Coordinates of all heavy atoms in Angstrom, one line a residue:
M1 N -5.4 7.0 22.0 CA -4.6 6.2 21.2 C -4.5 6.7 19.7 O -5.5 6.9 19.1 CB -4.9 4.7 21.2 CG -4.0 3.8 20.4 SD -4.6 2.1 20.3 CE -3.8 1.5 21.8
K2 N -3.3 6.7 19.2 CA -3.2 7.3 17.7 C -3.5 6.2 16.8 O -3.3 5.0 17.0 CB -1.7 7.5 17.3 CG -1.1 8.7 18.2 CD 0.3 8.9 17.8 CE 0.8 10.1 18.5 NZ 2.3 10.4 18.0
P3 N -4.3 6.6 15.6 CA -4.7 5.6 14.7 C -3.2 5.1 14.1 O -2.4 5.8 13.8 CB -5.5 6.3 13.7 CG -5.6 7.6 14.1 CD -4.9 7.8 15.5
K4 N -3.2 3.8 13.6 CA -2.1 3.2 13.1 C -2.4 3.0 11.6 O -3.3 2.2 11.2 CB -1.7 2.0 13.7 CG -0.5 1.3 13.2 CD 0.1 0.2 14.0 CE 0.3 0.5 15.5 NZ 1.0 -0.6 16.3
I5 N -1.6 3.5 10.7 CA -1.8 3.4 9.3 C -0.6 2.6 8.7 O 0.5 2.9 8.9 CB -2.0 4.9 8.6 CG1 -2.9 5.7 9.4 CG2 -2.1 4.9 7.2 CD1 -4.4 5.2 9.3
F6 N -1.0 1.7 7.8 CA 0.0 1.0 7.1 C 0.2 1.7 5.7 O -0.7 1.8 4.9 CB -0.3 -0.4 6.8 CG 0.8 -1.3 6.2 CD1 1.7 -1.8 7.1 CD2 0.7 -1.6 4.9 CE1 2.7 -2.7 6.4 CE2 1.7 -2.3 4.2 CZ 2.8 -2.8 5.1
L7 N 1.6 2.0 5.5 CA 1.9 2.6 4.1 C 2.6 1.6 3.2 O 3.6 1.0 3.7 CB 2.9 3.9 4.3 CG 2.3 4.9 5.3 CD1 3.4 6.0 5.4 CD2 1.0 5.4 4.7
S8 N 2.1 1.3 2.1 CA 2.6 0.3 1.3 C 3.5 1.0 0.3 O 3.0 1.7 -0.8 CB 1.5 -0.5 0.5 OG 2.0 -1.4 -0.4
T9 N 4.8 1.0 0.4 CA 5.6 1.5 -0.4 C 7.1 1.0 -0.1 O 7.4 0.9 1.1 CB 5.8 3.1 -0.3 OG1 6.6 3.7 -1.2 CG2 6.0 3.6 1.0
P10 N 7.9 0.8 -1.0 CA 9.4 0.3 -0.7 C 10.2 1.3 -0.1 O 11.2 1.0 0.4 CB 9.8 -0.3 -2.0 CG 9.0 0.3 -3.1 CD 7.7 0.8 -2.4
Q11 N 9.9 2.6 -0.5 CA 10.9 3.7 -0.1 C 10.2 4.4 1.2 O 8.9 4.4 1.3 CB 11.1 4.6 -1.0 CG 11.9 4.2 -2.2 CD 11.2 3.9 -3.5 OE1 9.9 4.4 -3.6 NE2 11.7 3.3 -4.4
K12 N 11.1 5.1 1.9 CA 10.5 5.9 3.1 C 9.8 7.2 2.5 O 10.3 8.0 1.9 CB 11.6 6.5 4.0 CG 11.1 7.2 5.1 CD 12.3 7.5 6.0 CE 11.8 8.2 7.4 NZ 12.9 8.6 8.2
P13 N 8.4 7.1 2.7 CA 7.6 8.2 2.1 C 7.6 9.4 3.1 O 6.5 9.7 3.8 CB 6.2 7.5 2.0 CG 6.2 6.7 3.1 CD 7.7 6.2 3.4
T14 N 8.5 10.3 3.1 CA 8.6 11.4 4.0 C 7.4 12.3 4.0 O 6.8 12.5 5.0 CB 9.8 12.2 3.8 OG1 10.9 11.3 3.8 CG2 10.0 13.4 4.7
N15 N 6.7 12.5 2.8 CA 5.5 13.4 2.8 C 4.3 12.9 3.4 O 3.5 13.5 4.1 CB 5.4 13.8 1.2 CG 5.2 12.6 0.4 OD1 5.6 11.5 0.7 ND2 4.5 12.9 -0.9
Y16 N 4.2 11.5 3.2 CA 3.1 10.8 3.9 C 3.3 10.8 5.4 O 2.4 11.0 6.1 CB 3.0 9.4 3.2 CG 2.4 9.3 1.9 CD1 3.3 9.3 0.8 CD2 1.1 9.0 1.7 CE1 2.8 9.2 -0.4 CE2 0.5 8.9 0.5 CZ 1.3 9.0 -0.6 OH 0.8 8.9 -1.8
L17 N 4.6 10.4 5.7 CA 4.8 10.4 7.2 C 4.5 11.7 7.9 O 3.9 11.8 9.0 CB 6.3 10.0 7.5 CG 6.6 8.6 7.0 CD1 8.1 8.3 7.2 CD2 5.9 7.6 7.7
N18 N 5.0 12.8 7.3 CA 4.8 14.2 7.9 C 3.3 14.4 7.9 O 2.8 14.9 8.9 CB 5.5 15.2 7.0 CG 6.9 15.1 7.2 OD1 7.4 14.6 8.1 ND2 7.7 15.6 6.2
A19 N 2.5 14.2 6.7 CA 1.2 14.5 6.8 C 0.4 13.7 7.9 O -0.5 14.4 8.5 CB 0.5 14.2 5.3
F20 N 0.5 12.4 7.8 CA -0.1 11.7 8.9 C 0.4 12.0 10.4 O -0.6 12.1 11.3 CB 0.0 10.2 8.7 CG -0.8 9.7 7.7 CD1 -0.4 9.3 6.4 CD2 -2.3 9.4 7.9 CE1 -1.2 8.7 5.4 CE2 -3.0 8.9 6.9 CZ -2.6 8.6 5.6
A21 N 1.4 12.4 10.6 CA 1.9 12.8 11.9 C 1.2 14.2 12.4 O 0.9 14.2 13.3 CB 3.5 13.0 11.9
H22 N 1.1 15.0 11.3 CA 0.4 16.4 11.5 C -1.0 16.0 12.0 O -1.6 16.8 12.7 CB 0.5 17.1 10.3 CG -0.3 18.5 10.3 ND1 0.3 19.4 11.1 CD2 -1.4 19.0 9.9 CE1 -0.5 20.6 11.1 NE2 -1.6 20.3 10.3
C23 N -1.7 14.9 11.5 CA -3.0 14.6 11.8 C -3.1 13.7 13.1 O -4.2 13.3 13.5 CB -3.6 13.8 10.6 SG -3.9 14.9 9.2
G24 N -2.0 13.4 13.7 CA -1.9 12.7 15.0 C -1.9 11.1 14.7 O -2.3 10.2 15.6
A25 N -1.6 10.6 13.5 CA -1.6 9.2 13.2 C -0.1 8.7 13.3 O 0.8 9.4 13.2 CB -2.2 8.8 11.8
E26 N 0.0 7.4 13.6 CA 1.2 6.7 13.7 C 1.3 5.8 12.2 O 0.4 5.1 12.0 CB 1.4 5.7 14.8 CG 2.5 4.8 14.8 CD 2.7 3.9 15.8 OE1 1.7 3.9 16.7 OE2 3.6 3.1 16.0
C27 N 2.3 5.9 11.5 CA 2.5 5.0 10.3 C 3.5 4.0 10.5 O 4.5 4.2 11.1 CB 3.0 6.1 9.2 SG 1.7 7.2 8.7
I28 N 3.3 2.8 9.9 CA 4.2 1.7 9.8 C 4.1 1.4 8.3 O 3.2 1.6 7.5 CB 3.9 0.6 10.7 CG1 2.5 0.1 10.4 CG2 3.8 0.9 12.2 CD1 2.2 -1.3 11.1
G29 N 5.2 0.5 7.8 CA 5.2 0.2 6.4 C 6.3 -0.7 6.2 O 7.2 -0.9 7.0
E30 N 6.3 -1.3 5.1 CA 7.3 -2.2 4.6 C 8.6 -1.5 4.4 O 9.7 -2.2 4.2 CB 6.8 -3.1 3.5 CG 6.4 -2.2 2.3 CD 5.3 -3.0 1.4 OE1 5.1 -4.2 1.4 OE2 4.6 -2.2 0.7
Y31 N 8.7 -0.2 4.3 CA 9.9 0.5 4.2 C 10.8 0.5 5.4 O 11.9 0.8 5.5 CB 9.7 2.1 3.8 CG 8.7 2.7 4.7 CD1 9.3 3.4 5.9 CD2 7.5 2.7 4.6 CE1 8.5 4.1 6.7 CE2 6.7 3.2 5.6 CZ 7.1 4.0 6.7 OH 6.4 4.6 7.6
I32 N 10.1 0.2 6.6 CA 10.7 0.1 7.9 C 11.1 -1.5 8.2 O 12.3 -1.7 8.4 CB 9.8 0.5 9.0 CG1 9.4 2.0 8.7 CG2 10.5 0.3 10.3 CD1 8.3 2.5 9.7
T33 N 10.2 -2.3 8.2 CA 10.5 -3.7 8.5 C 9.4 -4.6 7.9 O 8.4 -4.2 7.4 CB 10.3 -3.7 10.0 OG1 10.7 -5.0 10.5 CG2 9.0 -3.4 10.5
P34 N 9.9 -5.9 7.7 CA 8.8 -6.8 7.3 C 7.6 -6.8 8.2 O 7.8 -6.5 9.3 CB 9.5 -8.1 7.4 CG 11.0 -7.9 7.2 CD 11.2 -6.6 7.9
Y35 N 6.4 -7.1 7.8 CA 5.2 -7.1 8.5 C 4.7 -8.4 8.7 O 4.9 -9.2 7.9 CB 4.2 -6.0 7.9 CG 4.0 -6.3 6.5 CD1 2.8 -7.1 6.2 CD2 4.6 -5.7 5.4 CE1 2.6 -7.5 4.9 CE2 4.2 -6.0 4.1 CZ 3.3 -6.9 3.9 OH 2.8 -7.2 2.6
P36 N 3.9 -8.5 9.8 CA 3.2 -9.9 10.0 C 2.0 -10.1 9.1 O 1.5 -9.2 8.6 CB 2.8 -9.9 11.4 CG 2.7 -8.4 11.8 CD 3.7 -7.7 10.8
D37 N 1.6 -11.5 8.9 CA 0.5 -11.8 8.1 C -0.8 -11.2 8.6 O -1.7 -10.9 7.7 CB 0.4 -13.2 8.1 CG 1.4 -14.0 7.3 OD1 2.1 -13.2 6.3 OD2 1.7 -15.1 7.3
N38 N -1.0 -10.8 9.9 CA -2.1 -10.2 10.3 C -2.0 -8.7 10.4 O -2.7 -8.1 11.3 CB -2.5 -10.8 11.7 CG -1.4 -10.4 12.8 OD1 -0.3 -10.0 12.3 ND2 -1.8 -10.4 14.0
I39 N -1.3 -8.1 9.6 CA -1.1 -6.6 9.6 C -2.4 -5.9 9.5 O -2.6 -4.9 10.1 CB -0.2 -6.2 8.4 CG1 0.2 -4.8 8.6 CG2 -0.8 -6.3 7.0 CD1 1.1 -4.4 9.7
A40 N -3.5 -6.4 8.8 CA -4.8 -5.6 8.7 C -5.3 -5.6 10.0 O -6.2 -4.7 10.3 CB -5.6 -6.4 7.7
E41 N -5.2 -6.6 10.9 CA -5.7 -6.6 12.2 C -5.1 -5.6 13.2 O -5.6 -5.2 14.2 CB -5.8 -8.0 12.8 CG -6.5 -9.0 12.0 CD -6.4 -10.5 12.5 OE1 -5.9 -10.6 13.6 OE2 -6.7 -11.4 11.7
L42 N -3.8 -5.3 12.9 CA -3.1 -4.5 13.6 C -3.2 -2.9 13.3 O -2.7 -2.1 14.2 CB -1.6 -4.9 13.7 CG -1.2 -6.3 13.9 CD1 0.3 -6.7 13.7 CD2 -1.6 -6.6 15.4
C43 N -3.7 -2.7 12.2 CA -3.8 -1.3 11.7 C -5.2 -0.8 11.6 O -6.1 -1.6 11.4 CB -3.1 -1.2 10.5 SG -1.2 -1.5 10.5
D44 N -5.4 0.5 11.6 CA -6.7 1.2 11.4 C -6.9 1.4 9.9 O -8.1 1.8 9.6 CB -6.7 2.4 12.2 CG -6.7 2.1 13.8 OD1 -7.4 1.3 14.3 OD2 -5.6 2.5 14.3
G45 N -5.8 1.5 9.2 CA -6.1 1.8 7.8 C -4.9 1.5 6.8 O -3.8 1.1 7.4
L46 N -5.1 1.6 5.6 CA -4.1 1.2 4.6 C -4.0 2.2 3.5 O -5.0 2.8 3.0 CB -4.5 -0.1 3.8 CG -3.7 -0.5 2.6 CD1 -2.3 -0.9 2.8 CD2 -4.4 -1.6 1.9
V47 N -2.7 2.7 3.1 CA -2.5 3.6 2.2 C -1.6 3.1 1.1 O -0.5 2.7 1.5 CB -2.0 5.0 2.6 CG1 -1.6 6.0 1.5 CG2 -2.9 5.7 3.6
L48 N -2.1 3.0 -0.2 CA -1.2 2.5 -1.3 C -0.6 3.8 -1.8 O -1.3 4.6 -2.5 CB -2.1 1.7 -2.3 CG -2.9 0.5 -1.9 CD1 -3.7 -0.1 -2.8 CD2 -2.1 -0.6 -1.1
C49 N 0.7 3.9 -1.6 CA 1.4 5.2 -1.8 C 1.5 5.5 -3.4 O 2.0 6.7 -3.6 CB 2.7 5.4 -1.2 SG 2.3 5.3 0.7
G50 N 1.2 4.7 -4.2 CA 1.3 5.0 -5.6 C 2.7 4.7 -6.2 O 3.6 4.1 -5.5
G51 N 2.9 4.9 -7.5 CA 4.1 4.5 -8.2 C 3.7 4.5 -9.7 O 3.0 5.3 -10.2
V52 N 4.1 3.5 -10.3 CA 3.9 3.3 -11.7 C 2.4 2.8 -11.9 O 1.7 2.6 -11.0 CB 4.8 2.3 -12.4 CG1 6.2 2.8 -12.3 CG2 4.6 0.9 -11.8
D53 N 1.9 2.8 -13.1 CA 0.5 2.4 -13.5 C 0.2 1.1 -12.9 O 0.9 0.1 -13.0 CB 0.3 2.6 -15.0 CG 0.5 3.9 -15.6 OD1 0.4 4.9 -14.7 OD2 0.7 4.1 -16.7
V54 N -1.1 0.9 -12.6 CA -1.6 -0.3 -12.1 C -2.0 -1.1 -13.4 O -2.6 -0.5 -14.3 CB -2.9 -0.2 -11.2 CG1 -3.5 -1.5 -10.9 CG2 -2.6 0.4 -10.0
H55 N -1.6 -2.4 -13.5 CA -2.0 -3.1 -14.7 C -3.5 -3.1 -15.0 O -4.4 -3.5 -14.0 CB -1.5 -4.6 -14.6 CG -1.4 -5.3 -15.8 ND1 -2.5 -5.6 -16.7 CD2 -0.3 -5.9 -16.5 CE1 -2.2 -6.2 -17.6 NE2 -0.9 -6.4 -17.7
P56 N -3.9 -2.8 -16.2 CA -5.3 -2.7 -16.5 C -6.0 -4.0 -16.3 O -7.3 -3.9 -16.3 CB -5.4 -2.3 -17.9 CG -4.0 -1.8 -18.2 CD -3.0 -2.4 -17.3
K57 N -5.5 -5.1 -16.1 CA -6.1 -6.4 -16.1 C -7.0 -6.4 -14.6 O -8.0 -7.1 -14.7 CB -5.2 -7.5 -16.0 CG -4.3 -7.6 -14.8 CD -3.3 -8.9 -15.0 CE -2.4 -8.8 -13.8 NZ -1.3 -9.8 -14.0
Y58 N -6.6 -5.6 -13.7 CA -7.2 -5.5 -12.5 C -8.6 -4.7 -12.8 O -9.5 -4.7 -11.8 CB -6.4 -4.9 -11.5 CG -5.3 -5.7 -11.0 CD1 -4.0 -5.4 -11.5 CD2 -5.6 -6.8 -10.2 CE1 -2.9 -6.4 -11.1 CE2 -4.5 -7.7 -9.8 CZ -3.3 -7.4 -10.2 OH -2.2 -8.3 -9.8
Y59 N -8.7 -4.1 -13.8 CA -10.0 -3.3 -14.2 C -10.7 -4.0 -15.3 O -11.5 -3.4 -16.0 CB -9.6 -1.9 -14.4 CG -8.9 -1.2 -13.3 CD1 -7.7 -0.9 -13.4 CD2 -9.6 -0.8 -12.2 CE1 -7.0 -0.4 -12.3 CE2 -9.0 -0.2 -11.1 CZ -7.6 0.0 -11.2 OH -7.0 0.5 -10.3
H60 N -10.2 -5.2 -15.6 CA -10.8 -6.0 -16.8 C -10.7 -5.3 -18.1 O -11.5 -5.3 -18.9 CB -12.2 -6.3 -16.5 CG -12.6 -7.0 -15.1 ND1 -12.2 -8.1 -14.8 CD2 -13.0 -6.6 -13.9 CE1 -12.4 -8.5 -13.6 NE2 -12.9 -7.5 -13.0
E61 N -9.5 -4.6 -18.3 CA -9.2 -3.9 -19.5 C -7.9 -4.4 -20.0 O -7.0 -5.1 -19.3 CB -9.0 -2.4 -19.2 CG -10.4 -1.8 -18.8 CD -11.4 -1.5 -19.7 OE1 -11.0 -1.5 -20.9 OE2 -12.5 -1.6 -19.5
E62 N -7.5 -4.0 -21.2 CA -6.3 -4.5 -22.0 C -5.4 -3.2 -21.8 O -5.8 -2.1 -21.6 CB -6.6 -4.6 -23.5 CG -7.5 -5.8 -23.7 CD -6.9 -7.2 -23.4 OE1 -5.5 -7.4 -23.6 OE2 -7.5 -8.1 -22.9
I63 N -4.1 -3.4 -22.1 CA -3.1 -2.4 -22.0 C -3.3 -1.5 -23.3 O -3.3 -2.0 -24.4 CB -1.7 -3.0 -22.0 CG1 -1.3 -3.7 -20.8 CG2 -0.7 -1.8 -22.3 CD1 0.0 -4.4 -20.6
A64 N -3.6 -0.2 -23.0 CA -3.8 0.7 -24.1 C -3.0 2.0 -23.9 O -3.5 3.1 -23.6 CB -5.3 0.9 -24.1
G65 N -1.6 1.9 -24.0 CA -0.9 3.1 -23.8 C 0.0 3.2 -22.5 O 1.2 3.8 -22.5
T66 N -0.3 2.4 -21.6 CA 0.5 2.3 -20.4 C 1.8 1.7 -20.7 O 1.9 0.8 -21.4 CB -0.2 1.5 -19.2 OG1 -1.3 2.2 -18.7 CG2 0.6 1.0 -18.2
E67 N 2.9 2.2 -20.1 CA 4.3 1.8 -20.4 C 5.0 1.4 -19.2 O 5.9 0.6 -19.2 CB 5.0 2.8 -21.2 CG 4.5 3.2 -22.6 CD 5.3 4.3 -23.3 OE1 6.3 4.7 -22.7 OE2 4.8 4.7 -24.3
S68 N 4.5 1.9 -18.0 CA 5.1 1.4 -16.7 C 4.2 0.7 -15.8 O 3.3 1.3 -15.2 CB 5.7 2.7 -15.9 OG 5.8 3.8 -16.8
I69 N 4.5 -0.6 -15.8 CA 3.7 -1.6 -15.0 C 4.7 -2.3 -14.1 O 5.6 -2.8 -14.6 CB 2.8 -2.4 -15.8 CG1 1.8 -1.5 -16.6 CG2 2.2 -3.4 -14.9 CD1 0.9 -2.3 -17.5
D70 N 4.5 -2.5 -12.9 CA 5.1 -3.4 -11.9 C 4.1 -4.5 -11.5 O 3.5 -4.3 -10.4 CB 5.6 -2.5 -10.7 CG 6.5 -3.3 -9.9 OD1 6.6 -4.4 -9.9 OD2 7.2 -2.6 -9.1
D71 N 4.4 -5.6 -12.2 CA 3.4 -6.7 -11.9 C 3.6 -7.1 -10.4 O 2.6 -7.5 -9.7 CB 3.5 -7.9 -12.9 CG 2.8 -7.7 -14.2 OD1 1.8 -7.0 -14.1 OD2 3.4 -8.0 -15.1
A72 N 4.7 -7.3 -10.0 CA 5.0 -7.8 -8.6 C 4.4 -6.9 -7.6 O 3.8 -7.4 -6.6 CB 6.5 -7.9 -8.5
R73 N 4.5 -5.6 -7.9 CA 4.0 -4.6 -6.9 C 2.4 -4.7 -6.8 O 1.8 -4.6 -5.9 CB 4.5 -3.2 -7.1 CG 4.0 -2.3 -6.1 CD 4.7 -0.9 -6.1 NE 4.1 0.0 -5.2 CZ 4.4 1.2 -5.1 NH1 5.4 1.7 -6.0 NH2 3.9 2.0 -4.1
D74 N 1.9 -4.8 -8.1 CA 0.4 -4.9 -8.2 C -0.1 -6.0 -7.5 O -1.1 -6.0 -6.7 CB 0.1 -5.0 -9.6 CG 0.1 -3.6 -10.4 OD1 0.4 -2.6 -9.8 OD2 0.1 -3.7 -11.7
T75 N 0.5 -7.2 -7.7 CA 0.2 -8.5 -6.9 C 0.2 -8.3 -5.5 O -0.6 -8.6 -4.8 CB 0.9 -9.6 -7.5 OG1 0.8 -9.8 -9.1 CG2 0.6 -10.9 -6.7
H76 N 1.3 -7.8 -5.1 CA 1.5 -7.6 -3.6 C 0.4 -6.7 -3.0 O -0.2 -7.0 -2.0 CB 3.0 -7.0 -3.4 CG 3.2 -6.5 -2.0 ND1 3.4 -7.3 -1.0 CD2 3.4 -5.3 -1.6 CE1 3.6 -6.7 0.2 NE2 3.6 -5.4 -0.2
E77 N 0.3 -5.4 -3.6 CA -0.8 -4.5 -3.1 C -2.2 -5.0 -3.2 O -2.9 -4.7 -2.4 CB -0.5 -3.2 -3.8 CG 0.9 -2.5 -3.3 CD 1.0 -1.1 -3.7 OE1 0.4 -0.6 -4.7 OE2 1.8 -0.5 -3.1
M78 N -2.5 -5.8 -4.2 CA -3.8 -6.4 -4.4 C -4.0 -7.3 -3.2 O -5.1 -7.4 -2.6 CB -4.1 -6.9 -5.8 CG -4.1 -6.0 -6.9 SD -5.6 -4.9 -6.6 CE -5.4 -3.7 -7.9
G79 N -3.0 -7.9 -2.8 CA -3.1 -8.9 -1.7 C -3.3 -8.3 -0.4 O -4.1 -8.5 0.4
L80 N -2.6 -7.0 -0.3 CA -2.7 -6.3 1.0 C -4.2 -5.7 1.0 O -4.9 -5.7 2.0 CB -1.8 -5.0 0.9 CG -0.4 -5.3 1.5 CD1 0.4 -4.0 1.3 CD2 -0.5 -5.5 3.1
L81 N -4.6 -5.2 -0.2 CA -6.0 -4.7 -0.2 C -7.0 -5.7 0.2 O -7.9 -5.3 1.1 CB -6.2 -4.1 -1.5 CG -7.4 -3.4 -1.8 CD1 -7.6 -2.0 -0.8 CD2 -7.5 -2.8 -3.2
D82 N -6.9 -6.8 -0.2 CA -7.8 -7.9 0.0 C -7.7 -8.1 1.5 O -8.9 -8.3 2.1 CB -7.4 -9.2 -0.7 CG -8.4 -10.2 -0.5 OD1 -9.7 -10.0 -0.7 OD2 -8.0 -11.5 -0.2
R83 N -6.6 -8.2 2.1 CA -6.6 -8.5 3.6 C -7.3 -7.3 4.4 O -7.9 -7.7 5.4 CB -5.1 -8.5 4.1 CG -4.5 -9.9 3.7 CD -3.2 -10.0 4.5 NE -2.1 -10.1 3.4 CZ -1.0 -10.0 3.7 NH1 -0.4 -9.9 4.8 NH2 0.0 -10.1 2.7
F84 N -7.1 -6.1 4.0 CA -7.7 -5.1 4.7 C -9.1 -4.9 4.5 O -9.9 -4.5 5.5 CB -7.0 -3.6 4.3 CG -5.8 -3.5 5.1 CD1 -4.5 -3.9 4.8 CD2 -5.8 -2.5 6.2 CE1 -3.4 -3.7 5.6 CE2 -4.6 -2.4 7.0 CZ -3.5 -2.9 6.7
V85 N -9.6 -5.4 3.3 CA -11.1 -5.2 3.1 C -11.8 -6.3 3.9 O -12.8 -6.1 4.5 CB -11.4 -5.3 1.5 CG1 -12.9 -5.6 1.3 CG2 -10.8 -4.2 0.8
K86 N -11.1 -7.6 3.9 CA -11.8 -8.6 4.7 C -11.8 -8.3 6.3 O -12.6 -8.6 6.9 CB -11.0 -9.9 4.4 CG -11.2 -10.4 3.1 CD -10.6 -11.8 2.9 CE -11.0 -12.1 1.5 NZ -10.3 -13.4 1.0

């Protein structure tokens, strides 16, 4: 059975899909369809595909030069991360 990896990104990440396919993994993600609340139980791994800077508050720091922050995405991905860690 192929490992199932959840990719957190709003766009289709062709480079990630190709890399994981080359390794024999199946990828799913929010770029395809909404996902169920129990997504962490259905997948073998999580990849946060990147984007703008993560808000420094998640590292107990102040903003010091960062100009691109997406609070909604940070909140969403921190929630996903929490589900997968648990």
Side-chain angles (χ1 to χ4, degrees):
M1 178 184 271
K2 293 181 177 184
K4 190 176 288 188
I5 308 298
F6 185 82
L7 302 177
S8 176
T9 180
Q11 292 112 9
K12 184 176 180 179
T14 304
N15 55 341
Y16 285 89
L17 294 171
N18 291 339
F20 279 108
H22 181 74
C23 295
E26 175 186 356
C27 294
I28 62 171
E30 53 213 340
Y31 58 91
I32 297 172
T33 183
Y35 55 89
D37 287 337
N38 66 337
I39 190 66
E41 296 170 21
L42 303 174
C43 292
D44 300 297
L46 167 69
V47 174
L48 305 176
C49 293
V52 298
D53 296 337
V54 174
H55 196 294
K57 69 183 177 186
Y58 291 104
Y59 304 101
H60 308 289
E61 298 288 333
E62 299 289 324
I63 293 176
T66 284
E67 296 178 7
S68 332
I69 295 174
D70 184 341
D71 280 323
R73 184 170 180 182
D74 288 348
T75 300
H76 171 70
E77 289 189 341
M78 289 299 174
L80 273 173
L81 186 58
D82 187 53
R83 282 191 245 170
F84 273 81
V85 168
K86 287 180 180 175

